[in-house]
Amino acid sequence: MSPLVVKTITAWQLGVVSIARALWYRLGVKFGWNPVKKLVELPPVGPFYSACKAPVTDCSRGLNGVVGYEPMAFGLKAQFAFERGFPLWHQSVLTGVETGNEPWWILPDFIEGLGDIKGVWEASRFDWVLAFAKQVSTGDKGAIARLNSWLADWIDKNPPYMGANWKCGQEASIRVMHLAMAAQILDQVTGASQGLLDLIRIHLRRIAPTIQYAIAQDNNHGTSEAAALFIGGSWLAQEANDEQLARDAKRWMEQGCKWLENRARRLIEPDGSFSQYSLNYHRVMLDTYAMAEIWRRQLDLSPFSQALVTRLQAATAWLGNMVSPDGSDTPNLGANDGARLLPLSDTDYRDVRPSVQLASVLFVGARAFEKAGAWDQPLQWLRVPLPANSLNYQRSRQYDDGGFAILRDGSAMLLFRYPRFRFRPGQSDLLHVDFWLGEANLLRDAGSYSYNCEEPWQSYFPSSAAHNTVQFDGRDAMPRLSRFLFGAWPKAHNVKRLAVAEEKQTVSAGYCDWKGASHHRAIVLTENGFSVTDEVGGFKKSAVLRWRLAPGEWCWDGDWLVGSGVRLRVTGTQSLKRCELVEGWESRYYSRKTPLPVLEIEVEEAGRLTTELRY
């Protein structure tokens, strides 16, 4: 398949309408057709939030972050640079390099020498607004001054539409959602200060003209920007004392509601799978809709459609079933930029239970986790009542719309990934297997590490080599066309649906890639282990099967590899050219990477490889 054919087919798969939207946006900004370049605003003036006469919540007991604030970035404690008590808003927490304060549309997408721009954006996502609001709500008398002074400094250093922190509509949208949730925590939605309303309005004027670009991407950019327009627009419509602003606010609210409905129908599959094939981006989407629903209830707005609610119920169940057997972690599935939109719980970044619990209560009307725990904290802070009834999402199930299967047996959980690409894949993870035993992620995905870093890491983490699958001829299963785009998306064939019997569970699928290499994987899970049978062929030189193992001591006992309480063996119908442990890498948190052992089995002939794992 020639490069031109690959690009043509990929463009068709992306969709003509989506490509046209993205192109129109870029041309509009470049040539000035888009009104976003003509926006002019004066900086809003505080105070933005007021002190509470009495604590509005008593949930501070047992909750973290109400006494002091520890800056976080990408789920870990961060060392932000400070000046006169405030963060340096334009300095990257990753590289220490600062950006300029030019109009945002002048700044290139990738600024030379800066590294990953997310390092700049992280402090301006306003996680600290939520942290300080929690402090205010529990009676910390100094917290209101900290909250208002940090906002005033941010506005002073980031005047409307100037600098990198205005470059992305989604980043502006996250700020809107966090400002609104802080008002919800403080019970200051009604009667909000003029400074806060002005700050919301300035953000919505940035988001609205470019939302078509977010929609064109068919990912969480569209859901985030739609939610911000809905939340901010409805807020301004309620509080506005100016006729023009009231009209604008109503238009923003209706625009946001329209796209929230549209994105739910288009991007969330009937089985709950999300367009980005990513566990963390699934959480981002679910938290976004949860905030929109909380806001809708707060302002007593018209309910969302049953179609939207049904898709959100399915999406909640999907994420609830991805929770590890011990409950505290999840597979490192798909692209992951370290986003966590509702940091309101005393849990690790990788723990999705707070998001599952919140969404389950809002959209299903039942708890996902019966026992009380830190996963209840977002509901407490946002004053959402907990229902008495509960249900359990964790069971063996296939999500064929998205290309996933979950197999569970006691403390064992196996995730199987196969290609069902209606939207662009973010990683070359075809036929990847993730395996958990209790809290131990024994066979694991590499993660993402960074979207803008040096080689070989830029290519390594999304690649076939960074997953538990077979790599053919040292290349990926899909050709990389750009930083965020793979081409020639294969289609799954010979899919045998998940079958659950008393003694075993089975599932299988295969594909043939654009160069003729074929891979079919069959999985059998029993009560004391599993087997994976890989049939490979069509390659030119070699095929390498990889099992990315949990860090720790692994040693050979005959032809069995022993470690972490399990035994693993690979045999083949063809001769094995190589079977050895090598060093690989993983990224459990964005911008951090650590080594881990990888078992590599290389063959030069077509045939069948069988992996057995016993515990």
Side-chain angles (χ1 to χ4, degrees):
M1 191 180 296
S2 70
L4 178 60
V5 172
V6 169
K7 291 179 180 179
T8 302
I9 293 174
T10 304
W12 179 259
Q13 291 173 316
L14 288 170
V16 175
V17 174
S18 293
I19 293 175
R21 281 179 173 143
L23 182 61
W24 183 253
Y25 159 79
R26 291 191 178 280
L27 291 175
V29 171
K30 181 177 181 179
F31 294 108
W33 308 332
N34 193 305
V36 74
K37 291 182 68 171
K38 301 180 178 67
L39 295 177
V40 177
E41 284 279 2
L42 293 175
V45 178
F48 305 95
Y49 296 95
S50 59
C52 300
K53 295 180 181 179
V56 297
T57 179
D58 62 356
C59 61
S60 60
R61 292 187 298 273
L63 297 187
N64 191 34
V66 296
V67 176
Y69 169 63
E70 292 182 326
M72 304 284 288
F74 312 117
L76 295 171
K77 294 179 182 179
Q79 297 296 322
F80 287 108
F82 282 76
E83 185 176 52
R84 296 191 304 276
F86 301 110
L88 293 177
W89 304 109
H90 298 281
Q91 184 175 108
S92 171
V93 70
L94 299 175
T95 63
V97 176
E98 290 195 41
T99 61
N101 221 20
E102 302 89 353
W104 68 262
W105 59 84
I106 293 177
L107 299 172
D109 290 342
F110 298 98
I111 301 172
E112 186 176 355
L114 176 67
D116 195 336
I117 196 172
K118 291 181 179 295
V120 175
W121 288 345
E122 194 70 5
S124 293
R125 286 192 158 189
F126 285 9
D127 288 7
W128 47 268
V129 170
L130 295 176
F132 291 157
K134 287 159 59 179
Q135 294 174 5
V136 174
S137 75
T138 54
D140 183 336
K141 296 181 180 179
I144 189 63
R146 292 193 292 273
L147 175 55
N148 283 318
S149 63
W150 277 46
L151 280 170
D153 189 74
W154 187 89
I155 291 164
D156 180 60
K157 303 301 191 304
N158 296 272
Y161 321 128
M162 303 291 287
N165 289 317
W166 288 101
K167 183 169 178 58
C168 178
Q170 185 181 36
E171 296 301 313
S173 299
I174 292 171
R175 290 196 290 271
V176 169
M177 288 186 276
H178 282 172
L179 290 167
M181 291 304 104
Q184 176 76 3
I185 291 170
L186 296 171
D187 196 20
Q188 295 181 22
V189 174
T190 301
S193 73
Q194 188 60 49
L196 180 56
L197 296 177
D198 287 343
L199 184 57
I200 296 294
R201 173 180 51 80
I202 289 168
H203 275 77
L204 298 192
R205 291 193 71 199
R206 162 64 185 90
I207 297 163
T210 61
I211 192 172
Q212 288 292 334
Y213 179 64
I215 298 302
Q217 296 179 64
D218 278 336
N219 61 17
N220 60 66
H221 282 247
T223 57
S224 298
E225 296 186 29
L229 289 173
F230 173 75
I231 291 170
S234 58
W235 199 1
L236 294 176
Q238 174 183 275
E239 300 291 311
N241 52 16
D242 175 87
E243 290 186 7
Q244 182 59 52
L245 177 57
R247 286 193 295 270
D248 290 342
K250 183 180 179 182
R251 185 179 72 253
W252 291 328
M253 178 184 69
E254 291 174 347
Q255 186 182 21
C257 186
K258 164 193 162 184
W259 285 118
L260 283 172
E261 293 279 356
N262 175 279
R263 297 294 85 185
R265 291 192 304 271
R266 175 166 171 77
L267 303 184
I268 304 173
E269 302 286 3
D271 67 6
S273 304
F274 182 52
S275 65
Q276 288 181 274
Y277 313 115
S278 157
L279 194 145
N280 197 57
Y281 284 148
H282 193 109
R283 174 171 65 173
V284 168
M285 174 273 296
L286 203 58
D287 282 346
T288 299
Y289 275 99
M291 286 187 276
E293 173 62 12
I294 288 170
W295 198 257
R296 184 200 67 76
R297 296 184 184 190
Q298 173 65 29
L299 298 190
D300 196 23
L301 303 173
S302 299
F304 293 119
S305 71
Q306 186 56 49
L308 179 148
V309 173
T310 299
R311 293 297 171 96
L312 267 295
Q313 290 172 341
T316 301
W318 186 98
L319 188 60
N321 204 9
M322 294 289 167
V323 174
S324 63
D326 79 313
S328 65
D329 207 343
T330 51
N332 214 4
L333 173 70
N336 178 357
D337 69 351
R340 188 185 189 190
L341 290 198
L342 270 177
L344 292 176
S345 59
D346 184 18
T347 56
D348 184 78
Y349 159 82
R350 295 183 53 81
D351 188 343
V352 303
R353 286 176 295 181
S355 296
V356 174
Q357 185 82 316
L358 178 61
S360 186
V361 169
L362 291 172
F363 300 115
V364 183
R367 303 183 190 209
F369 308 99
E370 184 176 9
K371 293 182 179 179
W375 42 86
D376 296 326
Q377 292 168 358
L379 291 109
Q380 295 168 345
W381 287 116
L382 297 171
R383 293 177 288 114
V384 178
L386 272 168
N389 58 313
S390 63
L391 48 81
N392 184 6
Y393 294 114
Q394 297 179 20
R395 60 189 178 91
S396 295
R397 184 177 171 186
Q398 188 164 7
Y399 302 92
D400 191 56
D401 294 331
F404 305 96
I406 292 288
L407 287 68
R408 291 182 179 270
D409 190 320
S411 62
M413 167 182 153
L414 186 148
L415 165 67
F416 179 43
R417 173 80 177 106
Y418 58 96
R420 290 287 198 215
F421 297 137
R422 194 161 70 91
F423 301 94
R424 56 177 170 151
Q427 295 195 344
S428 186
D429 57 357
L430 282 62
L431 305 191
H432 169 81
V433 165
D434 225 81
F435 183 70
W436 295 72
L437 195 59
E439 64 181 1
N441 187 188
L442 297 176
L443 304 178
R444 47 179 63 191
D445 192 316
S448 295
Y449 178 52
S450 175
Y451 292 165
N452 184 18
C453 59
E454 69 282 0
E455 293 292 356
W457 313 117
Q458 187 71 52
S459 299
Y460 173 77
F461 280 92
S463 71
S464 299
H467 295 90
N468 294 322
T469 188
V470 176
Q471 182 184 30
F472 297 110
D473 297 322
R475 57 176 173 80
D476 286 332
M478 299 173 287
R480 183 179 286 277
L481 303 183
S482 68
R483 186 184 298 264
F484 298 114
L485 182 62
F486 286 104
W489 311 342
K491 296 181 179 180
H493 62 72
N494 294 334
V495 177
K496 290 188 178 180
R497 294 191 63 85
L498 173 63
V500 181
E502 185 174 343
E503 295 183 352
K504 66 180 181 180
Q505 303 177 44
T506 61
V507 67
S508 63
Y511 73 90
C512 183
D513 73 14
W514 92 107
K515 288 197 172 183
S518 63
H519 181 194
H520 186 272
R521 172 164 277 183
I523 298 168
V524 179
L525 176 68
T526 65
E527 66 178 358
N528 61 358
F530 70 79
S531 66
V532 175
T533 302
D534 293 304
E535 296 186 17
V536 297
F539 52 93
K540 294 181 179 180
K541 294 182 179 179
S542 69
V544 177
L545 168 64
R546 289 183 177 86
W547 293 114
R548 303 171 52 79
L549 308 170
E553 293 295 326
W554 293 83
C555 60
W556 291 102
D557 181 10
D559 56 356
W560 288 89
L561 184 61
V562 181
S564 297
V566 301
R567 299 167 62 86
L568 185 148
R569 177 176 67 178
V570 180
T571 56
T573 59
Q574 69 277 66
S575 62
L576 307 184
K577 178 184 178 182
R578 181 170 58 92
C579 181
E580 63 179 343
L581 279 174
V582 301
E583 184 179 70
W585 292 85
E586 68 174 350
S587 177
R588 307 288 279 180
Y589 298 85
Y590 191 77
S591 79
R592 305 289 178 92
K593 65 182 188 295
T594 54
L596 84 170
V598 180
L599 176 62
E600 291 190 348
I601 301 91
E602 184 176 5
V603 298
E604 296 180 321
E605 299 174 346
R608 181 184 301 116
L609 294 167
T610 300
T611 301
E612 302 169 82
L613 186 144
R614 299 286 176 259
Y615 51 86

